[in-house]
Amino acid sequence: MADENTQLQLVTFRLGEELYGVDIMDVKEIVRVQNVRPIPNAPYYVEGIINLRAEIIPIINLHKRFHIQKKIVADVEEEEDEDDGGFVILNIEGNKIGIIIDHVARVIPVNKDEIKPPPQMFSGIGTEYIHGVVRQENSYLIILDIRKIFSAGELQRIVDPAVAD
């Protein structure tokens, strides 16, 4: 078994055509799609809120935030329909935030020495939000740095929309 200091456990999921991962220590849970209630005057990428076991959780649409196209479902070979769609509930600085995902993949271990810096020319998501990239068979896994996706002020506005700039 590899030393936990040399490995990272990642929850992986699809957004559009790409495979993304976040550190499992930042993930509270993964839930199926639920009814999202809109929030007036929220940032354009905030879909709304859900009530999860009496806890109100804001839901973020990373497709909108990073201008990622939703995957066009033409793949007949994708048999994992039961895992399609949902929310990954993250714990960011003590705040729970859900992100919309297209498809839950799995939890995978990644050796830290396999993580490479993102290429300078990277489509969609900005490189400042990426912790690193791991090469896989014929593609790559993009590891998100969830603490950089939202500034402190932005995070506060998302969690408490009554807070003004």
Side-chain angles (χ1 to χ4, degrees):
M1 186 173 217
D3 183 316
E4 69 180 54
N5 291 328
T6 63
Q7 264 196 348
L8 209 60
Q9 295 289 327
L10 299 174
V11 173
T12 62
F13 52 89
R14 287 216 174 268
L15 281 177
E17 298 292 327
E18 303 297 338
L19 184 64
Y20 293 88
V22 293
D23 189 333
I24 196 168
M25 299 306 289
D26 295 324
V27 176
K28 170 115 173 55
E29 63 187 298
I30 299 168
V31 296
R32 296 236 176 257
V33 172
Q34 298 184 16
N35 188 27
V36 178
R37 299 188 64 155
I39 303 172
N41 301 318
Y44 70 95
Y45 54 84
V46 176
E47 285 296 309
I49 55 174
I50 63 169
N51 185 336
L52 185 63
R53 292 183 293 284
E55 194 168 10
I56 303 302
I57 299 175
I59 301 297
I60 307 302
N61 187 328
L62 291 182
H63 293 92
K64 290 180 181 177
R65 170 85 174 169
F66 298 121
H67 309 288
I68 298 170
Q69 293 289 329
K70 277 196 159 253
K71 185 175 183 181
I72 298 167
V73 184
D75 296 287
V76 179
E77 61 190 64
E78 290 224 17
E79 297 173 17
E80 301 172 70
D81 290 330
E82 70 275 359
D83 288 337
D84 280 354
F87 308 124
V88 174
I89 308 300
L90 301 169
N91 191 350
I92 305 173
E93 309 297 329
N95 298 300
K96 290 189 185 110
I97 292 182
I99 57 172
I100 298 172
I101 58 171
D102 292 338
H103 177 79
V104 177
R106 58 190 171 157
V107 175
I108 62 167
V110 171
N111 290 326
K112 289 183 179 177
D113 61 356
E114 293 176 11
I115 301 171
K116 305 297 179 211
Q120 290 298 329
M121 297 300 288
F122 209 78
S123 63
I125 187 170
T127 56
E128 67 268 28
Y129 306 120
I130 300 173
H131 173 72
V133 177
V134 176
R135 188 94 176 112
Q136 300 205 306
E137 293 103 43
N138 51 0
S139 118
Y140 47 89
L141 166 65
I142 303 164
I143 304 170
L144 296 176
D145 185 338
I146 64 164
R147 280 163 189 74
K148 290 185 180 174
I149 291 177
F150 307 105
S151 68
E154 211 173 15
L155 187 60
Q156 190 58 43
R157 278 194 313 275
I158 292 166
V159 174
D160 185 3
V163 172
D165 288 327

